[in-house]
Amino acid sequence: MSSEFNRRDLLSLGGAGLLSGVAGAAGVESQVTQQQVTSTFEGAAIGRPKNLILFMPDEMRADSLACYGNPVTKTPNLDKLAQEGARFDQCHVQYPVCGASRCAMLTGWPTSVRGHRSQYYFLRPEEPNLFRYLRQAGYDVFWFGKNDALAAQSFYESVTEWSSAGAQVNAGSTAPRNLTPGSISMLYSPGSSDRRETGDYRLLQKAIAILERTQKERPFCIFLPLFEPHPPYTIPADFYNMYSPSSLPPLAPPGLKKKPDYYAGIRKRYGLDKLDDQIFRKIRAVYYGQVSYSDWLLGELLAALDKTGHASDTALFVTSDHGDYAGNYGLVEKWPSGLEDCLTRVPMIGRVPGAKQGVVGTDMVEMYDVMQTFL
Protein backbone atom coordinates (compact mmCIF):
# COMPACT_ATOMS: atom_id res chain seq x y z
CA MET A 1 0.00 0.00 0.00
CA SER A 2 1.28 3.45 -0.85
CA SER A 3 2.07 5.84 1.96
CA GLU A 4 0.11 9.08 2.15
CA PHE A 5 1.87 12.32 1.34
CA ASN A 6 0.76 15.90 1.84
CA ARG A 7 1.57 19.42 0.77
CA ARG A 8 4.22 19.84 3.46
CA ASP A 9 5.93 16.75 2.09
CA LEU A 10 5.91 18.18 -1.43
CA LEU A 11 7.75 21.25 -0.19
CA SER A 12 10.22 19.21 1.85
CA LEU A 13 11.06 16.92 -1.10
CA GLY A 14 13.42 19.57 -2.44
CA GLY A 15 14.52 20.99 0.90
CA ALA A 16 12.06 23.85 0.65
CA GLY A 17 11.55 23.92 4.39
CA LEU A 18 14.81 25.87 4.42
CA LEU A 19 13.05 28.61 2.46
CA SER A 20 9.67 28.62 4.19
CA GLY A 21 8.08 32.01 3.78
CA VAL A 22 10.65 33.24 1.27
CA ALA A 23 8.67 32.84 -1.93
CA GLY A 24 5.12 32.29 -0.83
CA ALA A 25 2.04 34.18 -1.88
CA ALA A 26 2.72 36.92 0.64
CA GLY A 27 6.35 37.28 -0.41
CA VAL A 28 7.89 40.21 -2.25
CA GLU A 29 11.01 40.41 -4.37
CA SER A 30 13.01 42.23 -1.70
CA GLN A 31 12.60 39.30 0.70
CA VAL A 32 14.60 36.95 -1.54
CA THR A 33 18.28 37.69 -1.81
CA GLN A 34 21.03 35.86 -3.63
CA GLN A 35 22.75 35.26 -0.28
CA GLN A 36 19.65 33.52 1.09
CA VAL A 37 19.30 31.27 -1.91
CA THR A 38 23.01 30.44 -2.11
CA SER A 39 23.30 29.70 1.60
CA THR A 40 20.26 27.47 1.34
CA PHE A 41 21.94 25.35 -1.33
CA GLU A 42 25.22 25.22 0.61
CA GLY A 43 23.53 24.38 3.89
CA ALA A 44 21.13 21.76 2.61
CA ALA A 45 21.23 18.30 4.09
CA ILE A 46 23.73 15.78 2.76
CA GLY A 47 22.16 13.82 -0.05
CA ARG A 48 20.28 16.72 -1.59
CA PRO A 49 20.04 16.12 -5.33
CA LYS A 50 22.53 18.18 -7.27
CA ASN A 51 20.44 18.70 -10.41
CA LEU A 52 16.81 19.49 -11.25
CA ILE A 53 14.59 18.59 -14.20
CA LEU A 54 11.05 19.81 -14.78
CA PHE A 55 9.33 17.81 -17.53
CA MET A 56 6.20 19.73 -18.45
CA PRO A 57 3.74 18.52 -21.09
CA ASP A 58 1.18 21.14 -22.13
CA GLU A 59 -2.54 20.64 -21.41
CA MET A 60 -2.15 17.25 -19.71
CA ARG A 61 -5.15 16.30 -17.57
CA ALA A 62 -4.41 14.27 -14.45
CA ASP A 63 -7.25 11.89 -15.26
CA SER A 64 -5.61 10.98 -18.59
CA LEU A 65 -2.87 8.95 -16.84
CA ALA A 66 -3.17 5.33 -15.78
CA CYS A 67 -1.56 6.07 -12.41
CA TYR A 68 -4.35 8.59 -11.79
CA GLY A 69 -6.99 5.96 -12.44
CA ASN A 70 -7.59 6.13 -16.17
CA PRO A 71 -8.79 2.66 -17.26
CA VAL A 72 -7.81 3.05 -20.92
CA THR A 73 -4.53 4.90 -21.37
CA LYS A 74 -1.08 3.37 -21.45
CA THR A 75 1.39 5.53 -19.51
CA PRO A 76 4.01 3.05 -18.25
CA ASN A 77 6.78 5.58 -17.73
CA LEU A 78 4.68 8.03 -15.76
CA ASP A 79 3.37 5.09 -13.73
CA LYS A 80 6.95 3.93 -13.07
CA LEU A 81 8.01 7.41 -12.00
CA ALA A 82 5.09 7.54 -9.55
CA GLN A 83 6.12 4.17 -8.10
CA GLU A 84 9.68 5.39 -7.66
CA GLY A 85 8.70 8.73 -6.14
CA ALA A 86 5.67 10.68 -5.00
CA ARG A 87 2.37 11.19 -6.80
CA PHE A 88 0.11 14.05 -5.73
CA ASP A 89 -3.47 13.15 -6.52
CA GLN A 90 -4.98 16.61 -6.17
CA CYS A 91 -2.64 19.10 -7.84
CA HIS A 92 -4.46 22.13 -9.21
CA VAL A 93 -3.32 25.08 -11.29
CA GLN A 94 -3.90 28.75 -10.53
CA TYR A 95 -5.29 29.58 -13.97
CA PRO A 96 -6.37 27.35 -16.87
CA VAL A 97 -4.33 29.17 -19.56
CA CYS A 98 -0.63 28.63 -20.29
CA GLY A 99 1.00 32.00 -19.60
CA ALA A 100 -0.73 32.87 -16.35
CA SER A 101 -0.32 29.36 -14.97
CA ARG A 102 3.40 29.25 -15.70
CA CYS A 103 3.96 32.70 -14.23
CA ALA A 104 2.36 31.48 -11.01
CA MET A 105 4.63 28.44 -11.00
CA LEU A 106 7.82 30.49 -11.41
CA THR A 107 6.91 33.20 -8.89
CA GLY A 108 5.20 31.13 -6.21
CA TRP A 109 2.38 33.69 -6.38
CA PRO A 110 -1.30 33.34 -7.20
CA THR A 111 -2.11 35.05 -10.50
CA SER A 112 -3.92 37.83 -8.63
CA VAL A 113 -0.77 39.24 -7.00
CA ARG A 114 0.60 41.08 -10.05
CA GLY A 115 -2.20 40.61 -12.55
CA HIS A 116 -0.70 37.73 -14.53
CA ARG A 117 -4.08 36.66 -15.82
CA SER A 118 -3.59 36.71 -19.56
CA GLN A 119 -1.82 34.65 -22.17
CA TYR A 120 0.85 37.24 -22.91
CA TYR A 121 1.62 39.17 -19.71
CA PHE A 122 4.95 37.59 -18.77
CA LEU A 123 7.44 38.01 -15.91
CA ARG A 124 9.47 41.21 -15.67
CA PRO A 125 12.98 41.45 -14.19
CA GLU A 126 11.74 42.91 -10.90
CA GLU A 127 9.43 39.98 -10.18
CA PRO A 128 10.27 36.72 -8.38
CA ASN A 129 11.61 34.14 -10.80
CA LEU A 130 12.66 30.60 -9.89
CA PHE A 131 15.10 30.27 -12.75
CA ARG A 132 16.87 33.54 -11.97
CA TYR A 133 17.38 32.45 -8.37
CA LEU A 134 18.83 29.13 -9.49
CA ARG A 135 21.16 30.74 -12.00
CA GLN A 136 22.38 33.33 -9.51
CA ALA A 137 23.09 30.49 -7.10
CA GLY A 138 25.40 28.79 -9.60
CA TYR A 139 23.08 26.61 -11.67
CA ASP A 140 23.12 26.35 -15.44
CA VAL A 141 19.49 26.72 -16.51
CA PHE A 142 18.54 25.07 -19.80
CA TRP A 143 15.12 25.86 -21.27
CA PHE A 144 14.12 23.65 -24.17
CA GLY A 145 10.61 24.40 -25.39
CA LYS A 146 8.00 27.11 -25.71
CA ASN A 147 8.20 30.33 -23.75
CA ASP A 148 4.94 31.21 -22.07
CA ALA A 149 6.45 32.77 -18.97
CA LEU A 150 9.37 35.21 -19.32
CA ALA A 151 9.37 38.65 -20.89
CA ALA A 152 12.33 39.18 -23.22
CA GLN A 153 14.24 41.35 -20.74
CA SER A 154 14.09 38.58 -18.10
CA PHE A 155 15.97 35.94 -20.08
CA TYR A 156 19.55 37.14 -19.66
CA GLU A 157 19.72 36.64 -15.90
CA SER A 158 17.43 33.61 -15.85
CA VAL A 159 18.47 31.21 -18.60
CA THR A 160 21.85 29.86 -19.69
CA GLU A 161 20.52 28.45 -22.94
CA TRP A 162 17.09 28.52 -24.58
CA SER A 163 15.90 26.68 -27.66
CA SER A 164 12.47 26.28 -29.21
CA ALA A 165 11.70 23.80 -31.95
CA GLY A 166 9.54 26.31 -33.81
CA ALA A 167 6.38 25.05 -35.51
CA GLN A 168 5.05 22.22 -33.40
CA VAL A 169 2.42 20.50 -35.53
CA ASN A 170 3.75 17.07 -36.41
CA ALA A 171 5.33 16.63 -39.81
CA GLY A 172 2.84 15.24 -42.27
CA SER A 173 -0.29 16.43 -40.44
CA THR A 174 -2.98 18.00 -42.53
CA ALA A 175 -5.87 19.95 -41.15
CA PRO A 176 -8.62 19.54 -40.54
CA ARG A 177 -10.56 16.28 -40.82
CA ASN A 178 -13.94 14.86 -39.80
CA LEU A 179 -15.44 18.33 -39.90
CA THR A 180 -18.93 19.55 -40.47
CA PRO A 181 -18.87 22.75 -42.57
CA GLY A 182 -18.56 25.78 -40.33
CA SER A 183 -17.12 23.90 -37.34
CA ILE A 184 -13.70 24.08 -35.71
CA SER A 185 -12.91 20.80 -34.00
CA MET A 186 -9.07 21.02 -33.94
CA LEU A 187 -9.01 17.38 -35.05
CA TYR A 188 -6.22 16.95 -37.61
CA SER A 189 -5.08 14.00 -39.68
CA PRO A 190 -2.28 11.78 -38.35
CA GLY A 191 1.26 13.07 -38.42
CA SER A 192 4.34 11.35 -39.79
CA SER A 193 4.78 7.65 -39.16
CA ASP A 194 8.10 8.43 -37.44
CA ARG A 195 7.69 9.39 -33.77
CA ARG A 196 11.09 11.05 -33.91
CA GLU A 197 9.96 13.68 -36.40
CA THR A 198 8.38 16.06 -33.90
CA GLY A 199 9.48 19.27 -32.28
CA ASP A 200 9.16 17.69 -28.84
CA TYR A 201 11.55 14.89 -29.75
CA ARG A 202 14.13 17.37 -31.03
CA LEU A 203 13.88 19.35 -27.81
CA LEU A 204 14.27 16.20 -25.75
CA GLN A 205 17.48 15.40 -27.62
CA LYS A 206 18.88 18.77 -26.54
CA ALA A 207 18.15 17.88 -22.92
CA ILE A 208 19.76 14.46 -23.32
CA ALA A 209 22.85 16.15 -24.76
CA ILE A 210 23.16 18.12 -21.51
CA LEU A 211 22.98 14.89 -19.52
CA GLU A 212 25.73 13.39 -21.72
CA ARG A 213 28.18 16.28 -21.47
CA THR A 214 31.41 15.76 -19.55
CA GLN A 215 31.34 19.10 -17.69
CA LYS A 216 29.88 18.33 -14.30
CA GLU A 217 31.24 21.03 -12.02
CA ARG A 218 28.13 23.21 -12.18
CA PRO A 219 24.71 21.84 -11.26
CA PHE A 220 21.98 22.14 -13.86
CA CYS A 221 18.27 22.73 -14.06
CA ILE A 222 16.59 21.54 -17.25
CA PHE A 223 13.13 22.88 -18.05
CA LEU A 224 11.27 20.94 -20.74
CA PRO A 225 8.02 22.80 -21.52
CA LEU A 226 6.96 20.52 -24.37
CA PHE A 227 4.02 20.91 -26.74
CA GLU A 228 2.05 17.67 -26.50
CA PRO A 229 -0.75 16.90 -25.71
CA HIS A 230 -1.76 20.39 -26.84
CA PRO A 231 -4.29 20.88 -29.69
CA PRO A 232 -4.51 20.46 -32.61
CA TYR A 233 -5.37 16.86 -31.88
CA THR A 234 -2.79 15.01 -33.94
CA ILE A 235 0.27 12.88 -33.30
CA PRO A 236 2.45 10.39 -35.25
CA ALA A 237 0.33 7.68 -36.78
CA ASP A 238 1.08 4.80 -34.38
CA PHE A 239 -0.10 6.92 -31.44
CA TYR A 240 -2.95 8.53 -33.38
CA ASN A 241 -4.71 5.19 -33.72
CA MET A 242 -3.61 3.70 -30.40
CA TYR A 243 -7.07 4.06 -28.82
CA SER A 244 -10.40 3.15 -30.33
CA PRO A 245 -13.13 5.76 -29.81
CA SER A 246 -15.61 2.96 -29.11
CA SER A 247 -13.48 1.66 -26.22
CA LEU A 248 -13.64 4.92 -24.25
CA PRO A 249 -15.96 5.54 -21.31
CA PRO A 250 -18.79 8.03 -22.00
CA LEU A 251 -17.75 11.68 -22.22
CA ALA A 252 -19.42 14.38 -20.16
CA PRO A 253 -22.17 15.46 -22.56
CA PRO A 254 -23.11 18.99 -23.67
CA GLY A 255 -26.26 20.61 -22.33
CA LEU A 256 -25.82 19.71 -18.66
CA LYS A 257 -27.68 21.87 -16.17
CA LYS A 258 -25.94 24.44 -13.98
CA LYS A 259 -23.04 24.88 -16.38
CA PRO A 260 -21.73 28.33 -17.40
CA ASP A 261 -23.42 30.08 -20.32
CA TYR A 262 -20.12 30.29 -22.17
CA TYR A 263 -20.29 26.53 -22.80
CA ALA A 264 -23.19 27.05 -25.20
CA GLY A 265 -21.60 30.24 -26.52
CA ILE A 266 -18.36 28.51 -27.48
CA ARG A 267 -20.16 25.59 -29.06
CA LYS A 268 -22.23 27.90 -31.22
CA ARG A 269 -19.40 30.29 -32.13
CA TYR A 270 -17.06 27.51 -33.26
CA GLY A 271 -19.67 25.24 -34.74
CA LEU A 272 -19.05 22.54 -32.16
CA ASP A 273 -22.81 22.17 -31.79
CA LYS A 274 -22.80 20.66 -35.30
CA LEU A 275 -20.51 17.78 -34.32
CA ASP A 276 -21.77 14.46 -33.03
CA ASP A 277 -20.54 12.30 -30.17
CA GLN A 278 -18.42 10.13 -32.47
CA ILE A 279 -16.22 13.07 -33.44
CA PHE A 280 -15.74 14.10 -29.81
CA ARG A 281 -14.85 10.53 -28.94
CA LYS A 282 -12.27 10.51 -31.73
CA ILE A 283 -10.88 13.78 -30.36
CA ARG A 284 -10.53 12.14 -26.94
CA ALA A 285 -8.94 9.02 -28.44
CA VAL A 286 -6.31 11.12 -30.28
CA TYR A 287 -5.74 13.21 -27.14
CA TYR A 288 -5.00 10.02 -25.24
CA GLY A 289 -2.57 9.09 -28.01
CA GLN A 290 -0.83 12.41 -27.47
CA VAL A 291 -0.62 11.65 -23.75
CA SER A 292 0.94 8.27 -24.48
CA TYR A 293 3.42 9.96 -26.81
CA SER A 294 4.43 12.31 -23.98
CA ASP A 295 4.86 9.23 -21.80
CA TRP A 296 7.15 7.69 -24.43
CA LEU A 297 9.26 10.85 -24.44
CA LEU A 298 9.53 10.64 -20.66
CA GLY A 299 10.74 7.06 -21.05
CA GLU A 300 13.52 8.27 -23.34
CA LEU A 301 14.51 10.82 -20.70
CA LEU A 302 14.46 8.22 -17.91
CA ALA A 303 16.69 5.92 -19.97
CA ALA A 304 19.14 8.77 -20.55
CA LEU A 305 19.23 9.56 -16.83
CA ASP A 306 20.09 5.94 -16.09
CA LYS A 307 22.68 5.70 -18.86
CA THR A 308 24.52 8.87 -17.83
CA GLY A 309 24.42 8.15 -14.10
CA HIS A 310 22.32 11.22 -13.40
CA ALA A 311 19.40 9.24 -11.99
CA SER A 312 21.27 9.24 -8.68
CA ASP A 313 21.90 12.98 -8.47
CA THR A 314 18.91 14.56 -10.23
CA ALA A 315 15.43 15.34 -8.96
CA LEU A 316 12.82 14.89 -11.68
CA PHE A 317 9.34 16.39 -11.54
CA VAL A 318 6.47 16.07 -14.02
CA THR A 319 3.52 18.44 -14.08
CA SER A 320 1.44 20.46 -16.57
CA ASP A 321 0.14 24.00 -16.86
CA HIS A 322 -3.55 23.02 -17.17
CA GLY A 323 -5.82 20.43 -18.72
CA ASP A 324 -8.02 20.22 -21.80
CA TYR A 325 -11.75 19.70 -22.38
CA ALA A 326 -10.85 17.11 -25.06
CA GLY A 327 -14.51 16.49 -25.84
CA ASN A 328 -16.04 17.01 -22.41
CA TYR A 329 -19.28 19.05 -22.58
CA GLY A 330 -18.93 19.14 -26.35
CA LEU A 331 -15.87 21.43 -26.03
CA VAL A 332 -12.22 21.41 -27.05
CA GLU A 333 -9.07 23.14 -25.77
CA LYS A 334 -9.50 25.27 -22.61
CA TRP A 335 -11.09 28.52 -21.46
CA PRO A 336 -9.71 31.31 -19.22
CA SER A 337 -12.53 31.13 -16.66
CA GLY A 338 -13.00 27.37 -16.82
CA LEU A 339 -12.90 25.77 -13.37
CA GLU A 340 -13.77 22.16 -14.12
CA ASP A 341 -11.36 19.50 -12.88
CA CYS A 342 -10.51 18.56 -16.47
CA LEU A 343 -8.87 22.01 -16.76
CA THR A 344 -7.50 22.66 -13.26
CA ARG A 345 -6.35 19.22 -12.07
CA VAL A 346 -2.97 18.20 -13.46
CA PRO A 347 -0.38 15.53 -12.70
CA MET A 348 2.29 16.24 -10.11
CA ILE A 349 4.86 13.46 -9.80
CA GLY A 350 8.29 13.88 -8.25
CA ARG A 351 11.23 11.50 -7.93
CA VAL A 352 14.02 12.64 -5.65
CA PRO A 353 17.09 10.44 -5.06
CA GLY A 354 17.06 9.08 -1.52
CA ALA A 355 13.44 10.00 -0.84
CA LYS A 356 10.76 7.46 0.06
CA GLN A 357 9.21 5.68 -2.90
CA GLY A 358 5.60 4.97 -3.78
CA VAL A 359 4.05 7.69 -1.68
CA VAL A 360 0.70 9.27 -2.58
CA GLY A 361 -0.59 12.65 -1.47
CA THR A 362 -4.35 13.00 -1.29
CA ASP A 363 -4.73 16.57 -0.05
CA MET A 364 -4.47 19.53 -2.41
CA VAL A 365 -1.20 20.94 -3.67
CA GLU A 366 -0.87 23.67 -6.25
CA MET A 367 1.47 24.16 -9.15
CA TYR A 368 3.10 27.18 -7.56
CA ASP A 369 4.44 24.83 -4.86
CA VAL A 370 7.08 23.90 -7.45
CA MET A 371 8.82 27.22 -6.76
CA GLN A 372 9.57 26.59 -3.10
CA THR A 373 10.14 22.86 -3.62
CA PHE A 374 12.89 23.47 -6.20
CA LEU A 375 14.56 26.11 -4.04
Side-chain angles (χ1 to χ4, degrees), residues 161-184:
E161 180 182 339
W162 172 49
S163 178
S164 173
Q168 294 287 348
V169 176
N170 294 297
S173 294
T174 57
R177 71 186 297 266
N178 290 347
L179 289 181
T180 299
S183 66
I184 304 174

Side-chain angles (χ1 to χ4, degrees), residues 53 131 151 165 179 265 276 287 290 298 328 332 358:
I53 297 179
F131 294 140
L179 289 181
D276 60 25
Y287 175 79
Q290 293 173 286
L298 177 65
N328 275 11
V332 295

Side-chain angles (χ1 to χ4, degrees), residues 302-367:
L302 291 173
L305 284 167
D306 289 337
K307 182 179 179 181
T308 60
H310 280 302
S312 63
D313 66 9
T314 302
L316 170 62
F317 278 74
V318 176
T319 190
S320 187
D321 51 358
H322 54 80
D324 192 301
Y325 286 120
N328 275 11
Y329 318 112
L331 298 172
V332 295
E333 297 198 83
K334 67 274 189 183
W335 193 251
S337 55
L339 295 176
E340 301 286 354
D341 267 18
C342 63
L343 297 189
T344 69
R345 182 174 172 239
V346 295
M348 177 67 75
I349 304 172
R351 186 184 74 178
V352 177
K356 185 182 292 187
Q357 298 184 351
V359 292
V360 178
T362 57
D363 62 339
M364 191 174 82
V365 300
E366 299 186 63
M367 209 176 73

Side-chain angles (χ1 to χ4, degrees), residues 256-275:
L256 296 176
K257 295 181 179 179
K258 298 184 178 179
K259 293 300 179 184
D261 291 343
Y262 71 77
Y263 278 25
I266 295 173
R267 281 173 49 78
K268 182 176 181 180
R269 173 65 179 83
Y270 291 102
L272 297 171
D273 56 349
K274 301 176 182 178
L275 305 181

Side-chain angles (χ1 to χ4, degrees), residues 272-300:
L272 297 171
D273 56 349
K274 301 176 182 178
L275 305 181
D276 60 25
D277 182 64
Q278 288 304 307
I279 292 181
F280 288 116
R281 293 175 71 83
K282 182 61 178 178
I283 287 170
R284 178 65 63 86
V286 175
Y287 175 79
Y288 283 168
Q290 293 173 286
V291 169
S292 287
Y293 181 75
S294 295
D295 179 84
W296 176 75
L297 291 174
L298 177 65
E300 295 289 290

Side-chain angles (χ1 to χ4, degrees), residues 148-164:
D148 278 341
L150 295 186
Q153 60 266 41
S154 298
F155 262 84
Y156 177 75
E157 291 186 335
S158 305
V159 180
T160 307
E161 180 182 339
W162 172 49
S163 178
S164 173

